[in-house]
């Protein structure tokens, strides 16, 4: 998709240090993220104007917003709010979409290096952090004078990077992909194949390296090897390291794992038992072959703590997704920042449909009059009902019939806590590597597309920073993304590593992630001569877990304030996010059919790229 620059709008004063709210008829494309602003975009930062004659224009603008009674105010531009904006883009509803940040994406945002530095400062300055905390940036270079980290000269310019705060794979059978097609925004997105899945084995437990192994040499070999996880029955049969009896057991398991109906009778006896016990006792699979199978679940828990009822559907998801869009892969990643790109494209569609966007303006408070809820569970259609009063940052007040947002974007008085069961957390590190690590991206078949991402799993027990380390009991997953994803410049790659922190000290978790990155680079042999860590971002991410996933929680205001669940910590997109968006759309519109089912806007078929 070609770059399109924004034309200066005549008659609108430029604002140093920020952007002025304007109505435009062209869109701005950023070569790193994609579409950042479009058609009716408000990007508003306070206290931007140097001369007194500019301030009345700002006041007139905010007055026009205050005079409108909005059908819905969306708080935050995270993925669910952005998808809801897309869903409402053809509804004729008056939508005001605000975000307390000066960037799109919320918890799913993709950041440049400079934006990451600002993000770290903001995270660490929060008094009551909800999602992120303990953020820090580390560089491979230390200033000899100050002793402080300094930028590595091998790093590209800041906006050459698009680092996702919540990287996720999207399986080809996910309901998100056909929804993006039916809503016509798929034309503005590019998806790239996730190729090989690798399992790390310590040399003490690994057998002789074969064609499917990336091995180290010398001291590096003592750290272990990477072995490619078989992608199907053909790969199992071709693996010379597996004996014939074990191959037969694996083949039976793979057949069972892909058969949903065949699993049902087993769940009563085995569903609550660990997947390790199921593989050993029922499937007769040797324990040394368990890690590759469990890795396909992307479970953050050790195998002994991962139930069979949890694991089998996820293994089935993986197996049945391979080949849906082509041979050799079963999942994809969006180019230009992962799901952040989907959020931006969805917001743009919302803007084309008449939505108004304000950045750097969050919701600070709500005044809720007593209003009856509609009998069908939706919002009241009584046009005489008193609207909500929404207080924005900076003191502006607007009227709205409904407010929808996430826990971190709604004021405390409007948050819903019913159904929250417990919290979970993970340590995350994002590492920029000086080498493309090409060994991790082999083309798996002749017809397969070149992969742009790979998955590496360090099973529980393979990484220990000390004899009493508890973090080593948990698996580490690393999503490796090449420069083809747009995450980094050519010749480099980005490692997204994570480990669950439940019961684990954060510092120990970071040490294990550092060891995982070190061992990954050490296992690649020749690549280690040029593979160095240039820069890394570390942080802790938390999420409130609900007892049951469903529609958005009902907050205050007799159901007129809806709250989305916290962003999932899963490494693969969870379709329940889309179900929450559908539920909110139904409550706002009163419709039950036609969710995200759009026709092309113009004769050219270039939906949502036409000038208004």
């Amino acid at each position: 998709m070609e770059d399109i620059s924004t034309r200066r709008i005549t008659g609108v004063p430029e604002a140093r240090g920020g952007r002025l709210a304007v109505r435009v008829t062209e869109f701005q494309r950023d070569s790193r993220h994609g579409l950042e602003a479009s058609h009716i975009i408000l990007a508003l930062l306070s206290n931007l104007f140097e001369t007194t004659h500019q301030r009345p224009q700002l006041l007139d603008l905010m007055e026009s917003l205050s005079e409108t009674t909005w059908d819905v105010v969306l708080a935050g531009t995270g993925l669910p709010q952005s998808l809801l904006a897309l869903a409402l883009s053809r509804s004729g509803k008056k939508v005001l979409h605000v975000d307390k940040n000066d960037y799109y994406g919320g918890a799913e945002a993709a950041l440049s290096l400079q934006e990451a530095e600002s993000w770290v400062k903001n995270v660490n300055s929060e008094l009551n952090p909800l999602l992120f905390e303990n953020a820090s940036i580390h560089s491979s270079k230390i200033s000899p004078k100050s002793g402080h980290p300094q930028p590595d000269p091998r790093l590209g310019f800041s906006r050459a990077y698009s680092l996702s705060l919540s990287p996720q794979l999207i399986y080809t059978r996910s309901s998100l992909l056909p929804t993006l097609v039916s809503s016509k925004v798929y034309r503005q997105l590019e998806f790239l194949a996730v190729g090989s899945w690798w399992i790390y084995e310590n040399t003490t437990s690994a057998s002789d390296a074969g064609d499917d192994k990336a091995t180290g040499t010398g001291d590096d070999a003592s750290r272990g090897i990477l072995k490619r996880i078989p992608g199907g029955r053909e790969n199992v049969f071709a693996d010379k390291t597996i004996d014939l009896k074990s191959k037969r057991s694996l083949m039976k398991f793979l057949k069972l794992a892909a058969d949903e109906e065949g699993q049902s009778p087993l769940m009563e006896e085995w569903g609550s038992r660990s997947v390790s016990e199921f593989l050993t006792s029922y499937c007769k699979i040797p324990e040394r072959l368990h890690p590759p199978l469990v890795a396909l679940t992307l479970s953050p828990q050790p195998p002994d703590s991962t139930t069979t009822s949890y694991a089998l559907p996820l293994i089935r998801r993986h197996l049945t997704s391979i080949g849906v869009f082509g041979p050799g892969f079963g999942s994809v990643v969006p180019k230009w920042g992962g799901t952040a790109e989907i959020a931006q494209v969805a917001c743009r569609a919302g803007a084309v449909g008449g939505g108004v966007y304000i950045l750097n303006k969050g919701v600070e408070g709500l005044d809720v009059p007593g209003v009856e809820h509609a009998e069908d569970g939706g919002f009241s259609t009584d046009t005489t009902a008193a609207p909500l009063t929404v207080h924005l940052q900076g003191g502006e007040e607007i009227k709205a019939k409904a407010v929808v947002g996430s826990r971190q974007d709604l004021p405390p008085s409007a948050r819903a806590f019913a159904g929250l069961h417990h919290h979970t957390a993970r340590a995350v590190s994002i590492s920029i590597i000086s080498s493309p690590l090409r060994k991790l991206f082999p083309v798996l078949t002749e017809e397969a597309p070149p992969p742009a991402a790979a998955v590496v799993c360090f099973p529980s027990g393979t990484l220990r920073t000390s004899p009493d380390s508890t973090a080593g009991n948990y698996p580490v997953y690393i999503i490796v993304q090449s420069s083809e994803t747009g995450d980094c410049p050519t010749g480099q790659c980005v490692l997204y590593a994570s480990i669950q922190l439940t019961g684990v000290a954060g510092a120990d978790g970071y040490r294990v992630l550092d060891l995982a990155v070190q061992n990954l680079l050490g296992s690649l042999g020749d690549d280690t001569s040029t593979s160095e860590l240039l820069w890394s971002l570390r942080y802790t991410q938390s999420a409130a877990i609900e007892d049951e996933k469903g529609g958005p929680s009902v907050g205050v205001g007799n159901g007129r304030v809806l709250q989305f669940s916290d962003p999932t910590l899963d490494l693969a997109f969870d379709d329940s996010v889309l179900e929450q968006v559908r539920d909110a759309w139904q409550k706002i519109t009163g419709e039950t059919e036609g969710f995200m089912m759009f026709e092309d806007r113009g004769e050219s078929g270039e939906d949502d790229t036409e000038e208004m």
Side-chain angles (χ1 to χ4, degrees), residues 176-473:
L176 177 62
L177 297 179
T179 299
L180 296 174
V181 171
S182 65
S183 63
K184 302 299 187 275
V185 297
Y186 71 98
R187 297 188 183 98
Q188 302 168 35
L189 295 163
E190 184 176 351
F191 294 92
L192 303 173
V194 178
S196 296
W197 287 54
W198 303 88
I199 197 81
Y200 181 87
E201 294 182 354
N202 288 321
T203 51
T204 55
S205 61
S207 56
D208 294 337
D211 294 338
D212 289 338
K213 293 183 180 180
T215 63
T217 57
D219 292 338
D220 291 335
S222 64
R223 298 175 181 170
I225 59 174
L226 292 180
K227 181 176 180 180
R228 191 161 61 210
I229 298 176
R233 300 180 186 181
E234 297 82 1
N235 302 122
V236 172
F237 270 121
D239 194 328
K240 298 179 181 180
T241 66
I242 305 176
D243 62 82
L244 183 59
K245 182 178 179 181
S246 298
K247 285 182 179 181
R248 290 173 179 169
S249 298
L250 282 172
M251 295 300 291
K252 291 181 180 179
F253 171 77
L254 293 177
K255 182 179 180 180
L256 172 64
D259 182 9
E260 184 175 5
E261 294 183 0
Q263 297 173 14
S264 298
L266 299 173
M267 288 301 102
E268 183 175 349
E269 178 181 357
W270 293 96
S272 60
R273 297 161 76 172
S274 74
V275 66
S276 294
E277 186 179 1
F278 176 75
L279 293 174
T280 300
S281 302
Y282 183 83
C283 300
K284 310 300 181 184
I285 296 176
E287 186 176 354
R288 68 181 181 86
L289 298 178
H290 291 187
L293 297 176
V294 178
L296 300 181
T297 68
L298 294 174
S299 171
Q301 293 285 346
D304 290 341
S305 302
T306 301
T307 64
T308 303
S309 60
Y310 174 87
L312 285 188
L314 297 181
I315 296 175
R316 181 177 70 252
R317 174 185 66 179
H318 181 91
L319 296 175
T320 58
S321 293
I322 297 175
V324 171
F325 293 143
F329 70 99
S331 57
V332 295
V333 292
K335 192 172 184 178
W336 307 115
T339 53
E341 178 71 355
I342 297 177
Q344 289 203 34
V345 168
C347 286
R348 181 178 178 276
V352 172
V356 175
Y357 282 73
I358 308 180
L359 298 182
N360 249 26
K361 282 286 177 182
V363 175
E364 284 194 331
L366 289 172
D367 294 335
V368 183
V371 179
E372 293 300 324
H373 201 263
E375 293 182 0
D376 61 359
F379 296 119
S380 174
T381 57
D382 181 6
T383 58
T384 64
L388 304 168
T389 300
V390 183
H391 301 272
L392 301 179
Q393 288 174 320
E396 296 88 0
E397 293 184 1
I398 58 174
K399 302 294 184 181
K401 297 177 182 178
V403 176
V404 184
S406 56
R407 185 167 63 104
Q408 65 271 21
D409 292 302
L410 293 173
S413 61
R415 294 172 188 162
F417 295 95
L420 298 185
H421 179 57
H422 63 282
H423 285 76
T424 186
R426 66 175 178 177
V428 179
S429 73
I430 302 175
S431 302
I432 300 173
I433 306 300
S434 63
S435 164
L437 302 184
R438 293 187 180 91
K439 288 186 178 181
L440 296 177
F441 305 101
V443 177
L444 300 182
T445 66
E446 292 183 1
E447 298 82 11
V455 178
V456 180
C457 175
F458 291 78
S460 57
T462 56
L463 297 170
R464 291 193 181 277
T465 56
S466 63
D468 58 348
S469 170
T470 56
N473 297 328

Side-chain angles (χ1 to χ4, degrees), residues 534-572:
L534 303 180
W535 181 98
S536 66
L537 167 65
R538 301 174 187 168
Y539 53 90
T540 298
Q541 183 177 7
S542 303
I545 305 300
E546 300 177 12
D547 291 326
E548 294 183 3
K549 294 181 180 179
S553 302
V554 176
V556 300
N558 294 321
R560 294 192 295 158
V561 179
L562 298 180
Q563 177 180 304
F564 287 119
S565 298
D566 283 358
T568 175
L569 303 187
D570 294 343
L571 296 178

Side-chain angles (χ1 to χ4, degrees), residues 60-115:
D60 290 344
L61 177 63
M62 295 309 300
E63 184 178 350
S64 66
L65 296 179
S66 300
E67 291 175 351
T68 301
T69 298
W70 301 92
D71 291 306
V72 59
V73 170
L74 301 179
T77 56
L79 186 59
Q81 297 100 309
S82 300
L83 290 173
L84 180 55
L86 170 62
L88 295 171
S89 63
R90 306 291 186 93
S91 66
K93 299 290 185 182
K94 289 179 287 186
V95 178
L96 177 61
H97 202 161
V98 301
D99 196 313
K100 62 186 178 182
N101 301 307
D102 59 358
Y103 54 82
Y104 291 91
E108 292 89 3
L111 306 176
S112 68
L113 298 184
Q114 186 175 352
E115 289 169 335

Side-chain angles (χ1 to χ4, degrees), residues 501-535:
L501 287 181
T502 303
V504 176
D508 193 18
Y510 293 136
R511 285 193 292 268
V512 169
L513 294 183
D514 290 343
L515 182 60
V517 171
Q518 176 186 347
N519 285 5
L520 170 58
L521 298 180
S523 69
L524 294 176
D526 295 339
D527 277 356
T528 58
S529 60
T530 57
S531 301
E532 296 183 41
L533 176 65
L534 303 180
W535 181 98

